[in-house]
Amino acid sequence: MTNIVFNHATVREKADMLTFLRLCSERGLQTVSIWGNEIAKVGETDALSVLHDFGMTVSGYNRIGPFVADFLDRAEAELERAARFEADHVFLFTGGLRDNEKDLGSARRRIEDLVGKVLERARKIGMKLAIEPLHPMLTGDRTVISSLSHANSLCEALGPGIGVVVDVYHCWWDERLAAEIERAGEAGRLFGFHVNDWLIPTRHLLTDRGMMGDGIIDLRGIYSMMRDAGYNGAVEVEIFSTDWWSRDPAEVMDIAIDRCRSLFSKE
Amino acid sequence: MTNIVFNHATVREKADMLTFLRLCSERGLQTVSIWGNEIAKVGETDALSVLHDFGMTVSGYNRIGPFVADFLDRAEAELERAARFEADHVFLFTGGLRDNEKDLGSARRRIEDLVGKVLERARKIGMKLAIEPLHPMLTGDRTVISSLSHANSLCEALGPGIGVVVDVYHCWWDERLAAEIERAGEAGRLFGFHVNDWLIPTRHLLTDRGMMGDGIIDLRGIYSMMRDAGYNGAVEVEIFSTDWWSRDPAEVMDIAIDRCRSLFSKE
């Protein structure tokens, strides 16, 4: 059976981190993806202690960014905290264009340079970085890295210690998808696979993502691309949705687990 | 001075086609882009007669599609009407995935075949077709042609009589943009250039486009790419916006003309 991981963001509105860990443990899930700001809310000592009590491990740690002003100092603190949680990788959230910045090409070069600077620090701490390209509708204000192709090229330029996470929501439309997943796989750079769905209609650019199976994304097809590219890791549920946030977290997780089991099997 | 063209959609909520033509004429604009359904509302005879009285010509004719059921028969009627209006090109609006269709690759092949079938009919009538790739957030329900790269490849495969229209809203985020505009220019395939802007935040996927200058798109930069690629045609204002639709059409057009004059000059 494919390993299922929940990203805390999926239920964060009604479940703090300690509740989230308990809900995962009750469902036999051994790995989680977590957020620095949610750790801060419950306290790092308690968060670590509950995590250890449940014998859980951390996949993704969210996050470093946005890349503004003195973020490099804070990046170091995030990397160190991620290391204390023994996370597999730390997400970069680069941010988009600056105020009055119009030249997207130069914005991308600026961000690429900063990713390189974070990577130097991450290597010293021994923590891997993950780039998650976001949907082109988020290029302006979330990240200027809008395709897996761009993320792959950036990783190639930077060398070891950095990889990509493929989120179906952000990449499903791209005619280059299969080729770019293969490219990332060949380089040993596929750090994660995030699932959710694209709803028709979509009512909000950030918070109207769907439960797997409720939308139009060919989830089985993209999972096959990942497997064909050598990905053996988990399927991570990450749904940003005012709809699902409003529901009972346990129910949301049970539905998501059912959907994952029917959609993603290794056989 | 760069030639400015209005697409009727920009003011269609408060100006029927005859009013729209008058407003353009009063502003010294000699070319318009029009919609078949708006012609139907005022009657083709009146629409043609007013167009001729003002000595106006038609750039784009909207549109053929979505590609469902018996659309090929209706496509022929649209092509013939576009010919009576002596339009420069007719837009294809392919539509997205069908109900329960998940395989985007096969959907794209299906749509590509249908574009070929429309092109056969268009060639007989002597009418050019235009593909306008739409933003990836519209892949599911508006068109599966989500990048200029895909549109260029499709045009190459199909041969003469079909080209592309670059709408900044749909393409601005793409790291391939300059290269793909150049590729289209080299092939003599740049039929049009649509302008508007990307607002932060964007509140609706279809109807929250901005007035040029109010958003974050590097309009001057993309216009330079077009000019460098040999494009000498008009700048066409096409803004789908509940905000701008609610305003006085004359005022909207005056603002848009001012913005175009300051942003797009040939010198």
Side-chain angles (χ1 to χ4, degrees):
Chain A
M1 186 54 215
T2 299
N3 192 24
I4 297 170
V5 167
F6 275 85
N7 186 301
H8 185 189
T10 304
V11 293
R12 71 183 176 201
E13 298 295 316
K14 296 209 171 181
D16 68 12
M17 184 167 167
L18 304 184
T19 308
F20 167 65
L21 295 175
R22 178 177 55 76
L23 290 169
C24 288
S25 178
E26 286 169 359
R27 283 156 185 79
L29 306 177
Q30 295 299 312
T31 311
V32 290
S33 275
I34 61 175
W35 289 70
N37 61 332
E38 296 290 340
I39 294 170
K41 282 183 200 168
V42 298
E44 183 172 325
T45 311
D46 283 359
L48 265 176
S49 144
V50 171
L51 193 81
H52 292 154
D53 286 350
F54 288 137
M56 286 175 151
T57 58
V58 172
S59 174
Y61 176 95
N62 298 268
R63 62 198 184 183
I64 291 175
F67 290 9
V68 290
D70 60 341
F71 91 96
L72 273 173
D73 299 332
R74 277 174 288 131
E76 201 130 342
E78 298 284 3
L79 287 165
E80 282 161 2
R81 186 159 53 181
R84 292 194 293 276
F85 279 82
E86 299 178 76
D88 179 72
H89 53 267
V90 172
F91 284 98
L92 298 176
F93 176 69
T94 71
L97 296 167
R98 289 189 295 208
D99 287 351
N100 301 314
E101 187 176 41
K102 293 262 183 180
D103 184 336
L104 186 54
S106 79
R108 284 178 165 147
R109 288 187 292 278
R110 174 174 63 77
I111 292 294
E112 288 165 3
D113 287 346
L114 291 171
V115 171
K117 291 203 166 78
V118 180
L119 182 57
E120 284 171 26
R121 286 159 175 77
R123 282 177 181 150
K124 279 183 201 153
I125 295 170
M127 181 57 62
K128 290 193 292 182
L129 298 182
I131 301 178
E132 183 182 351
L134 302 185
H135 195 281
M137 69 184 174
L138 307 175
T139 302
D141 51 354
R142 314 296 285 183
T143 182
V144 293
I145 302 174
S146 310
S147 72
L148 190 53
S149 174
H150 183 193
N152 269 330
S153 296
L154 178 53
C155 289
E156 263 169 27
L158 291 173
I162 187 163
V164 298
V165 166
V166 175
D167 186 315
V168 295
Y169 196 78
H170 300 299
C171 300
W172 73 278
W173 56 271
D174 194 339
E175 69 270 20
R176 301 164 291 183
L177 186 58
E180 292 295 332
I181 286 177
E182 190 182 347
R183 179 181 169 201
E186 278 170 6
R189 195 189 292 139
L190 287 172
F191 289 178
F193 180 53
H194 289 188
V195 298
N196 42 63
D197 215 333
W198 184 281
L199 300 177
I200 301 285
T202 290
R203 297 159 304 176
H204 192 279
L205 274 71
L206 286 173
T207 58
D208 193 26
R209 301 186 194 171
M211 176 63 68
M212 298 71 72
D214 288 348
I216 57 167
I217 299 179
D218 182 14
L219 295 164
R220 280 200 184 92
I222 300 177
Y223 184 60
S224 286
M225 293 176 198
M226 293 291 291
R227 304 267 304 153
D228 290 347
Y231 181 74
N232 267 304
V235 168
E236 176 169 332
V237 178
E238 186 183 45
I239 305 173
F240 287 75
S241 158
T242 46
D243 177 11
W244 290 101
W245 284 333
S246 73
R247 305 197 195 186
D248 173 48
E251 183 201 357
V252 173
M253 291 174 75
D254 289 338
I255 293 171
I257 290 169
D258 274 356
R259 300 290 177 91
C260 283
R261 290 205 170 125
S262 78
L263 283 162
F264 311 110
S265 82
K266 289 195 175 179
E267 281 63 54
Chain B
M1 186 55 215
T2 299
N3 191 25
I4 298 169
V5 167
F6 275 87
N7 185 300
H8 185 189
T10 304
V11 293
R12 70 182 177 201
E13 298 294 316
K14 295 208 171 181
D16 68 11
M17 183 167 169
L18 304 183
T19 308
F20 167 65
L21 295 175
R22 178 177 54 74
L23 290 168
C24 288
S25 178
E26 286 169 0
R27 282 154 186 81
L29 307 177
Q30 294 299 309
T31 310
V32 290
S33 276
I34 62 175
W35 289 69
N37 61 333
E38 296 290 341
I39 294 169
K41 282 184 199 167
V42 299
E44 183 172 326
T45 311
D46 282 2
L48 265 175
S49 145
V50 171
L51 192 82
H52 292 153
D53 287 352
F54 287 137
M56 285 175 152
T57 57
V58 172
S59 175
Y61 176 95
N62 298 267
R63 64 195 183 185
I64 291 174
F67 290 10
V68 290
D70 60 341
F71 92 96
L72 273 172
D73 298 333
R74 279 173 286 132
E76 201 130 342
E78 298 284 3
L79 287 165
E80 282 162 2
R81 186 158 55 180
R84 293 193 293 276
F85 280 82
E86 300 178 74
D88 180 71
H89 53 267
V90 172
F91 285 98
L92 297 177
F93 176 69
T94 71
L97 296 167
R98 289 189 294 205
D99 287 350
N100 301 315
E101 188 176 42
K102 293 262 182 179
D103 183 336
L104 187 54
S106 79
R108 282 177 167 148
R109 288 187 292 276
R110 175 174 63 78
I111 292 293
E112 288 165 1
D113 287 345
L114 290 171
V115 171
K117 290 204 166 78
V118 180
L119 183 56
E120 285 172 24
R121 286 158 175 77
R123 282 177 181 149
K124 280 184 197 151
I125 294 170
M127 180 59 60
K128 290 193 291 182
L129 297 182
I131 301 177
E132 183 181 351
L134 301 185
H135 195 281
M137 69 185 173
L138 306 175
T139 301
D141 51 353
R142 315 296 285 181
T143 183
V144 292
I145 301 173
S146 310
S147 73
L148 190 53
S149 174
H150 183 192
N152 269 330
S153 296
L154 179 54
C155 288
E156 263 170 26
L158 291 172
I162 187 162
V164 298
V165 166
V166 175
D167 185 316
V168 294
Y169 196 77
H170 301 299
C171 300
W172 72 279
W173 55 272
D174 194 340
E175 69 269 20
R176 302 164 291 183
L177 186 57
E180 292 295 332
I181 287 176
E182 190 182 348
R183 178 180 169 201
E186 278 171 5
R189 194 189 295 138
L190 287 171
F191 290 178
F193 180 54
H194 290 188
V195 298
N196 42 65
D197 215 333
W198 184 281
L199 300 177
I200 300 283
T202 289
R203 296 159 305 174
H204 191 278
L205 274 70
L206 286 173
T207 59
D208 194 27
R209 301 187 193 171
M211 177 64 67
M212 297 72 70
D214 288 349
I216 57 167
I217 299 178
D218 182 14
L219 295 164
R220 279 200 184 92
I222 301 178
Y223 185 59
S224 287
M225 294 176 197
M226 293 291 291
R227 304 266 303 152
D228 289 347
Y231 181 75
N232 267 303
V235 167
E236 177 169 330
V237 178
E238 187 183 43
I239 305 173
F240 288 73
S241 159
T242 46
D243 176 12
W244 290 101
W245 283 334
S246 73
R247 305 198 195 185
D248 173 48
E251 184 201 356
V252 173
M253 292 174 74
D254 288 340
I255 292 170
I257 290 168
D258 274 356
R259 301 288 178 92
C260 283
R261 290 205 170 124
S262 79
L263 283 162
F264 311 110
S265 80
K266 288 196 177 180
E267 280 68 50

